[in-house]
Amino acid sequence: MAATAELFEEPFVADEYIERLAWRTPGGGSRGAVEAFDPKRLLEQFVNHIEELKLMDERIQRKVEKLENQCQKEAKEFAKKVQELQKSNQVAFQHFQELDEHISYVATKVCHLGDQLEGVNTPRQRAVEAQKLMTYFNEFLDGELRSDVFNNPEKIKEAADIIQKLHLIAQELPFDRFAEVKSKIASKYHDLEHQLIQEFTSAQRKGEISRMREVAAVLLHFKGYSHCVDVYINQCQEGAYLKYEIFENSAVLCQRVNKEVGDIFSNPEIVLAKLIQNIFEVKIQTYVKDQLDECRKSDAEQYLKSLYELYTRTTNLSSKLMEFNLGTDKQTFLSKLIKSIFISYLENYIDVETAYLRSRSSVILQRYYESKNHQKRPIGGGGIQDLKERIRQRTNLPLGPSIDTHGETFLAQEVVVNLLQETKHAFERCHKLSDPSDLPKNAFKIFSILVDYLCIEHIDYALEIGLAAIPSPDAKNANLYFFDVVHQANTIFHLFDKQFNDHLMPLISSSPKLTECLQKKKEIIEQMEVKLDNGIDRTLNCMVGQMKQILTAEQKKTDFKPEDENNVLIQYTTACVKVCLYVRKQVEKIRNSMDGKNVDTVLMELGVRFHRLIYEHLQQFSYSSMGGMLAICDVAEYRKCAKDFKIPIVLQLFDTLHSLCNLLVVAPDNLKQMCSGEQLANLDKNILHSFVQLRADYRPARLARHFS
């Protein structure tokens, strides 16, 4: 059985159990040459082992039954014990309820007895107190204060309590019979009140908080209690403003008082509120008046800066004071204090702001034009000027002689930054100093001034000067600066738009003024875009005019029909070189002056006009075989130049033109095949025929057969 128990290992696996049993049996497994396999012996061992297992099972089963019986017996005993405990607990709970009822009964009796005692004692105490008051009243009536309480300075608290009660009683007495005694009581009342205030003052100077609390509690029932609070407030401020940082000092003072006022007065929130009111109405108001009245009429810039700074610092101080207990509606209380200080300055704030902003903007522009030695030209206004503008917009014709600006755009980023900076400060002040109901209206006024001086007086004026400076297309050696104007105007537009979104939008986003501002911005931008488009179109015309002049001056008829066909170098002509050089410079200028889709739009327009010019130019000549090759070389160079545009349609136009030029050199027999090629198949036959006519060997009758 011991051997059998050894075979049971955890975790139990039947297959492994059989293997271990066979391995332990002699002849039961393969052990090499030591012992041969003996199935009978193994079977005998298995049968014996099965019997052992049966015996073991019976033994374990008896043990399990014994344990189950024992468990059932103990469970019954435990259940019986629990029932006994529940009965005991129920008895104890009944005893507890009886005890609780008895205690409640005794407590009721005690309370009733206490009420009876109090009912007897209270009238007795009142009678005793009334008797004492009558005794003290008789002393005032006799005119001699004999009681120690009135003559001993250490009993001033008891004396104050007595005199306060006598003072109330005296007020109810008829004046004609008790005038003298009422006067004596009142005199003593005021004397004690004065002594208590002096006592409070002395204790405050010594820092005796407990004594201050005692005196303040006594004075609470006196008329002079408010004077006690005033004394406390005044003494708190002594030495608190040695440094001239009134706002920081005020915050520190209130923080210190807030910590101790609750230990002194029974109504600390009222005392602290009165201190804050005193600080605002006396200290801060005086400081603000001194700072602003000095520069109100003489220096508008300093006045606005000081007003904004003082108002900001005052509201920041108010925010710090919000953490204190000042009563029910401290927000309204502090707002009224701030309003009382600044009301006279805020009523006409926007008038001062707009007047200063106009003046400052005008000075910035005037100084700039003076630095350029430029006398500003009158622009716009009048029927004739409006008529000229309409004609110029519709025809792109330069009306009047062009002016020479010597490359000056009359747009300065420094001027723009200064104007935007001034306007930014104005928006910030407007946000802080305007009443919420007036904020959108005031912000719109500031925005209108920005539009007047930045957009109209500076940008629009520069555009007008730039338009007037654009030469006519037939001008010789024309200098083109309008794209510099476009570049700077574009940069300024971005800055203008950024300020609109960052500083104006938050002020008007939830008001009807938003629509008005957006409309005004849209109108001014559209107005300038019309002038920019007009100027760009005229500049492109001038560029084409300059190219035309180069071609006219440099291109000779003999270039494409040389006298000696055998002595010609196949390369592009001088006119082509100069035109391509000019075009590349203009393309680079356009890329540097514009951004986004505008670059592609302008380059496409220039490319189309460039192609039209070359197309018309080529049709002015007659081409020999070698001249046609030279024309193809020129067009190939023009096409290479067109690649710099990076505009597919422009490159396609020059590819087609290059294919058309092949008609100048191809053998007559191949003309029909050439015309049906991929590049030329979709072209009008008149265009193809016009190029074929440029051949020096063109004979209508001879080439018609090959071309048709």
Side-chain angles (χ1 to χ4, degrees), residues 216-371:
V218 175
L219 279 170
L220 181 62
H221 304 290
F222 279 76
K223 295 179 180 180
Y225 178 72
S226 60
H227 184 58
C228 172
V229 174
D230 293 338
V231 168
Y232 174 76
I233 289 173
N234 292 333
Q235 288 202 162
C236 283
Q237 297 180 71
E238 290 181 1
Y241 298 98
L242 295 177
K243 296 181 180 179
Y244 210 54
E245 291 291 336
I246 186 170
F247 297 97
E248 292 296 328
N249 292 336
S250 298
V252 173
L253 173 62
C254 292
Q255 188 75 34
R256 175 171 60 82
V257 170
N258 181 63
K259 293 179 179 179
E260 69 178 24
V261 70
D263 297 332
I264 300 173
F265 298 97
S266 59
N267 49 355
E269 67 280 356
I270 296 177
V271 177
L272 186 58
K274 196 169 184 180
L275 169 64
I276 292 173
Q277 183 177 357
N278 181 270
I279 291 173
F280 273 75
E281 293 180 351
V282 178
K283 297 292 184 181
I284 296 180
Q285 187 162 11
T286 303
Y287 179 76
V288 169
K289 189 174 186 301
D290 293 342
Q291 293 289 312
L292 295 181
D293 289 357
E294 182 179 349
C295 58
R296 189 172 190 175
K297 297 180 179 179
S298 60
D299 189 346
E301 180 181 10
Q302 185 58 44
Y303 169 74
L304 289 170
K305 288 181 178 178
S306 299
L307 177 60
Y308 175 74
E309 180 185 2
L310 290 170
Y311 189 84
T312 301
R313 297 182 70 184
T314 305
T315 52
N316 290 342
L317 174 61
S318 174
S319 299
K320 293 179 181 177
L321 299 179
M322 283 292 291
E323 66 183 62
F324 303 140
N325 181 18
L326 304 178
T328 53
D329 195 356
K330 51 187 174 183
Q331 178 69 51
T332 304
F333 170 70
L334 293 171
S335 298
K336 287 182 178 178
L337 291 178
I338 296 174
K339 187 176 181 180
S340 67
I341 295 174
F342 291 96
I343 183 67
S344 61
Y345 305 105
L346 299 181
E347 285 177 341
N348 66 336
Y349 150 72
I350 195 61
D351 297 331
V352 179
E353 183 72 79
T354 52
Y356 165 73
L357 188 58
R358 288 185 182 279
S359 173
R360 179 61 179 161
S361 300
S362 178
V363 169
I364 291 173
L365 292 178
Q366 183 179 353
R367 287 178 180 174
Y368 169 70
Y369 293 122
E370 287 177 354
S371 70

